[in-house]
Amino acid sequence: MATPSPAVARWELRLRIAQLRKDSQLGDAEVMDAVGISRPYWSQVFSGTRMLTVDKLRALAAAYGCDADEQDELVQLREIATKERGWWMKHPALIRPEMQQLYGLEHGARSIRCYNSLLIPGLLQCEGYARTIIAANTMIRPFEVEQHLAVRMQRQSRLTDDDPLHLTAMVSEAALIQQTGGPDVLREQLLHLIRLAEQHPETIEYRIIPFTAAEGTALGGSTFHLLDFSSTKLPTLGWSETPTRAGVVEDPTEVSSLAYAYAQAMTQTLSAADSLSLIKEKVRE
């Protein structure tokens, strides 16, 4: 079971209520009468902007035919969603809403597959490398750089906590050569990758697309993640980034396209063992 995350709990609760509504033979008016809520309240529940009280949630679940065990599951999700407060929510002036959403989902994910073409993924960046990238972001003011760095380092705790995130990171060989921050910072970053992989071989895996890959540039400079969760009620989610926009991808067709692209790119990579060997070779060079 992955670390409880209020963001994931809220998302799962919304999806499960929506599925109950879809599977039910009851009309909305009947359910609203049974629960004792107005239509605006009803709309807010399904848009995710309002949370049912415990009593009303049980009444809704009962109206849809849920047994006591399922009602308890829904109430437990509600408790996590409302009583827990993720660390990412404590920095509203620093972290944009879409990034808060990512960090919340990331915190509760079981595994992440990420594709980064020219940069080492944020979850794997050492301090010097991360500081260089953050400082180069024109949307971040100089006095905020260290704050953003602290946030990035805190994100990485999911790689080493009691129930660590499983991470598969796919990057181009170019990311191992581009001297982001200068040669000393790059060396520090490559050594950091090696330490992480050797200390956590069961949960951290690198897959490098070598320069010799015939179709290695097929995805260009894309950056995207695929997040999977422990709950069987939750589908795979996507996350996509461009220089000006980033956000969660929920649409099943789009997520399927990202998963297909990732699988195709994987055919161009070195094995996990050979990828780690290549990183070590770059350090020696």
Side-chain angles (χ1 to χ4, degrees), residues 196-261:
L196 283 174
E198 292 182 341
Q199 291 172 5
H200 309 280
E202 301 299 318
T203 55
I204 296 177
E205 178 181 315
Y206 310 133
R207 300 298 295 266
I208 307 300
I209 303 175
F211 288 139
T212 55
E215 299 176 14
T217 59
L219 295 180
S222 302
T223 294
F224 66 89
H225 302 170
L226 292 162
L227 294 83
D228 289 292
F229 303 87
S230 297
S231 173
T232 58
K233 305 288 186 180
L234 293 177
T236 299
L237 270 186
W239 170 265
S240 179
E241 293 182 23
T242 70
T244 59
R245 184 175 300 177
V248 171
V249 180
E250 286 195 59
D251 180 81
T253 301
E254 292 184 42
V255 173
S256 179
S257 294
L258 289 177
Y260 178 77

Side-chain angles (χ1 to χ4, degrees), residues 177-193:
I177 296 175
Q178 181 67 46
Q179 292 187 9
T180 301
D184 291 340
V185 170
L186 177 61
R187 178 179 173 80
E188 176 192 7
Q189 176 60 63
L190 297 181
L191 290 171
H192 181 65
L193 292 177

